Amino acid sequence: MNPLRPPMTGDVYCDVAIPGVSDEEDPSGEGLAMILAHPCSMREGPVLRQRIPVARVVPWNKEISFGAWRSNHISIMPLPHLIQSSKSEMYAVVFERIGRVDSAELEISRRTASLTEYGIAVMQQRRIFFDTRAVVEIDALMEACAGVILETELAEEWNDALIDVAQKEEGWLDAALASEAQAFYEMLHLDRTVPGPEAKKVKKYKLSDDIQSAARRPQVKRAVLSLLKEEQAKRSTQVGVPSPVADTDASASVEVPDQRKGVTPDAASDERDVDRL
């Protein structure tokens, strides 16, 4: 698991005490906790809020068939093979054992696992069903989070390119991640302009707004990667900053049709072109 990945919904941390959850409700004593909050809900700008909703994760020794956990055991979400070194093959996040923890407890060194994009949607579906008994389709949940998922992926690429993992000073990683989170946030939320249909008209936009549009996300990704290369070039004279990396992501240079509207991103871009950055 990449330590430079920003904290995300579904991340699991160890040695976390959850207020309101007793020691008896953590039989393994591992103190495992999963972040439940949406990425936007857990942050104020680029900074984690002081309190983050989490749920206890525990070993689950009962074997649950696929058909059984779909209709029963609704208070949990199975997490098979969560920790490779553990004696327990099955864990589960228990939605009844929740609380808000100080975000300072969620140190990167304590993070033990992360969910995939699909896994996050399954967790959200499971939690919604536990609270409401309503079934929300996985595709709908993935679409609702698509923008913030891409933002997290781009932030991880930003960190990979700009943070020197060879540093060894105590606390350096958390400080570096906080610094780059601020830089990435400012880049994404900067007011930008592009000429309008008439020479005197100028349109303003932010990449943080465009990333919420499925049609514009491929353009946003290209723009961010281009800005990342510029940032690397600016820091190239500094010690420990990696050289600019080649653009190996084919999707960054390919127009992807908007499957929901039947148009290409360019056709739906409202005459704005973020490639003019």
Side-chain angles (χ1 to χ4, degrees):
M1 184 178 60
N2 187 359
L4 301 183
R5 182 178 186 267
M8 185 62 176
T9 307
D11 284 358
V12 177
Y13 294 77
C14 66
D15 300 324
V16 176
I18 304 177
V21 178
S22 67
D23 292 341
E24 289 74 19
E25 293 176 303
D26 182 21
S28 69
E30 296 171 278
L32 296 173
M34 176 183 286
I35 294 179
L36 298 178
H38 185 277
C40 296
S41 299
M42 74 171 77
R43 290 179 171 84
E44 292 182 4
V47 181
L48 289 178
R49 293 181 182 271
Q50 184 175 355
R51 300 287 181 182
I52 306 292
V54 301
R56 180 63 75 206
V57 175
V58 300
W60 198 266
N61 297 323
K62 298 179 182 178
E63 184 175 347
I64 304 174
S65 66
F66 179 74
W69 85 265
R70 290 183 62 189
S71 55
N72 299 302
H73 309 284
I74 62 175
S75 65
I76 71 166
M77 173 186 169
L79 298 168
H81 309 294
L82 178 70
I83 302 175
Q84 298 299 324
S85 59
S86 174
K87 295 180 180 179
S88 299
E89 293 187 2
M90 175 70 76
Y91 282 79
V93 55
V94 185
F95 298 124
E96 294 175 317
R97 304 176 189 178
I98 62 174
R100 296 194 308 154
V101 302
D102 192 321
S103 58
E105 293 288 305
L106 306 179
E107 299 175 348
I108 292 301
S109 59
R110 298 189 192 183
R111 187 166 59 183
T112 60
S114 297
L115 295 183
T116 63
E117 178 181 358
Y118 180 78
I120 292 171
V122 172
M123 185 275 286
Q124 292 173 329
Q125 182 193 57
R126 194 71 176 166
R127 188 185 178 199
I128 292 170
F129 185 73
F130 170 66
D131 287 334
T132 68
R133 301 304 190 267
V135 178
V136 180
E137 294 298 327
I138 291 292
D139 288 347
L141 292 168
M142 292 182 70
E143 175 57 31
C145 289
V148 74
I149 291 290
L150 176 58
E151 182 176 337
T152 301
E153 291 174 353
L154 292 173
E156 183 175 352
E157 290 194 50
W158 181 278
N159 291 339
D160 280 336
L162 298 174
I163 295 179
D164 181 9
V165 294
Q167 294 292 332
K168 299 297 182 182
E169 292 84 354
E170 183 178 354
W172 72 270
L173 182 55
D174 289 297
L177 287 171
S179 176
E180 295 305 338
Q182 181 67 42
F184 182 82
Y185 179 87
E186 292 176 357
M187 177 273 298
L188 210 62
H189 288 78
L190 180 68
D191 284 321
R192 304 178 188 278
T193 60
V194 64
E198 300 177 17
K200 295 182 179 180
K201 291 186 177 180
V202 175
K203 294 188 177 182
K204 293 184 177 181
Y205 68 96
K206 297 178 180 179
L207 294 177
S208 59
D209 292 333
D210 282 0
I211 204 170
Q212 302 307 319
S213 167
R216 296 183 185 129
R217 281 177 204 138
Q219 295 173 309
V220 172
K221 184 171 184 177
R222 290 200 303 272
V224 170
L225 294 178
S226 176
L227 289 166
L228 174 56
K229 289 181 180 179
E230 292 180 14
E231 186 66 22
Q232 284 181 286
K234 289 179 183 178
R235 303 189 196 184
S236 60
T237 57
Q238 300 176 17
V239 176
V241 176
S243 301
V245 294
D247 183 3
T248 58
D249 189 343
S251 66
S253 60
V254 177
E255 297 295 348
V256 180
D258 184 347
Q259 300 297 330
R260 297 176 302 165
K261 298 180 181 179
V263 297
T264 63
D266 282 340
S269 63
D270 193 23
E271 300 181 5
R272 296 184 301 173
D273 185 2
V274 295
D275 292 328
R276 296 184 185 181
L277 298 176

